[in-house]
Amino acid sequence: MAIPPSLSPVIGLPLAIAVGIAIPLQGRINGALGTRLDDSLAAALVSFGTGLVLMIVISLTLPTARAGARQVIPAVREGRFPPYYLGAGAIGALFVFSQSLTIAVLGVALFTVVAVMGQSLSGLLVDRAGIGPAGRRSATPMRVIGVVLTVVSVMWALSPRFGVVGDPASSLLPVLLPVAAGILLSFQQAMNGTAAVHYGTPLTATLLNFVAGSTVLLAAWLVKLLVTGPGNPLPTEWWYYLGGPLGCVFIALGALLVRSLGVLLTGLSMTGGQLVGSLVLDLVFPAPGTIIAVATVAGTVLTLIAIVLTTLPWPRRATGIA
C-alpha cells in the first residue's frame, strides 16, 4: 500500500466513516476476550500481539512494505521527523490501558464522550500547528462549530447509557485519564501520517505502532503477572483474535487519511462511523443491557451532520458596492 495522491473529501470522508464503523466490532471482540481471560490487560496484549504478527508477515511479504521498512533508519538519521515519532504506538497502548482502568468506574458511554472531547479539541490544535502531513489548517469558526456540535451530538447519542458515576471528587482522575488519552490520539494520527509519507507507505508506520504498543503492554502485563498471577487460558475460538487485524486496518487507513483530511476531520469522521457501527451492532447483535432510544439514533445523525459542517468554508462577507 503506497501513499496515493491526496483524496478529496467526497472520497476521504466516507472512507474514514467506514473505518470508524468497524471500531465497535473490535471493541466488542476485545471486551469479550477480556471477560473470557478475566484480564483486560492480557486481552489488549493479545490484540496488539496478533496485530504485530500480521504486520511482520505483511512487511516481509509485500515489496512496498519491505521498501518502507528500509526507509526507517534513513528517515531517523536524516531527521525527516523527530525520532520519538517511532513510539507513536505507545499512545494507542495508553488508550487501551485507560479503557481497562476507567470504564468500570465511568461506563463506556462517559468514557467515549470525554475521549472524543479530548481528541476533538486537540485535533483543532494539531491542525492549527501544522503537525500532520496535511499541513497547517486554520481553526475557522465553522470547524469550531463542527467540533462543539460533534461533542454535543455524541453526548446525546450516548445519553441513554449514562449511569451514576458516584462521588465527583473520586471520579476526577478516571475522567482526566481518557481525556488525556483522547488528546494524545490526535498527535498519534499526526505522527503516523507524517512518518507514513516519509516511508512511502502507511504499512511501515502501522508496523512500528504495533511494535511500540506491544512493548508497553507486555511490560505492564509482566508487572501485573508478578502481582496478581495469570488469568484464564487463551480461548480456542478463532474470532477472539480478530481485534489485532482490525487494529491494523484502523491505524494504516488513519495514517493514510490524515494527509488528505487533516487530523481533526479524520478523527471526527471515525467518531461518526463509530456511532453508526455501534448502532448497527446493537441492532443486529445486541449485548446484554443494550439500550437503543430516539436519542441514540438522532445523536448519531446529528454527529454526521456536524462532520459535514466541519468541511464547509466559513462564509465571507461580500465586499464592494452593491
Side-chain angles (χ1 to χ4, degrees), residues 8-263:
S8 70
V10 175
I11 298 175
L13 281 178
L15 183 56
I17 291 173
V19 172
I21 287 175
I23 292 177
L25 179 59
Q26 184 197 39
R28 183 75 68 87
I29 292 171
N30 287 343
L33 180 58
T35 301
R36 179 72 174 266
L37 298 176
D38 193 25
D39 188 342
S40 56
L41 188 57
L45 178 59
V46 169
S47 181
F48 267 77
T50 53
L52 176 59
V53 170
L54 177 60
M55 290 312 304
I56 290 175
V57 172
I58 290 175
S59 298
L60 293 175
T61 305
L62 296 183
T64 302
R66 291 200 302 270
R70 288 194 293 268
Q71 289 297 313
V72 174
I73 294 178
V76 175
R77 183 187 298 130
E78 296 167 12
R80 301 178 194 171
F81 52 81
Y84 61 81
Y85 278 31
L86 298 177
I91 296 176
L94 172 64
F95 189 83
V96 171
F97 174 72
S98 69
Q99 283 180 318
S100 63
L101 189 65
T102 64
I103 281 181
V105 178
L106 302 177
V108 175
L110 185 55
F111 176 92
T112 302
V113 167
V114 294
V116 166
M117 187 181 303
Q119 185 178 7
S120 301
L121 295 176
S122 65
L124 272 176
L125 298 177
V126 169
D127 275 351
R128 178 67 181 84
I131 298 175
R136 187 184 299 272
R137 299 196 174 197
S138 300
T140 63
M142 190 63 77
R143 286 166 69 83
V144 174
I145 290 172
V147 167
V148 173
L149 187 57
T150 297
V151 174
V152 172
S153 303
V154 171
M155 292 178 64
W156 190 19
L158 298 178
S159 60
R161 304 183 187 181
F162 287 161
V164 179
V165 175
D167 179 23
S170 63
S171 302
L172 179 60
L173 181 59
V175 167
L176 290 178
L177 188 56
V179 168
I183 289 173
L184 290 174
L185 278 181
S186 293
F187 288 92
Q188 181 191 28
Q189 288 184 330
M191 292 157 68
N192 285 338
T194 300
V197 170
H198 292 288
Y199 299 147
T201 173
L203 296 175
T204 303
T206 305
L207 170 65
L208 294 178
N209 264 252
F210 277 95
V211 170
S214 298
T215 301
V216 171
L217 288 171
L218 178 60
W221 181 76
L222 289 175
V223 172
K224 182 180 182 296
L225 182 65
L226 293 175
V227 175
T228 63
N232 298 326
L234 292 172
T236 57
E237 294 87 347
W238 59 271
W239 61 269
Y240 278 112
Y241 303 96
L242 292 179
L246 285 173
C248 295
V249 176
F250 306 151
I251 295 174
L253 290 180
L256 184 67
L257 289 167
V258 291
R259 183 188 182 196
S260 302
L261 302 179
V263 175

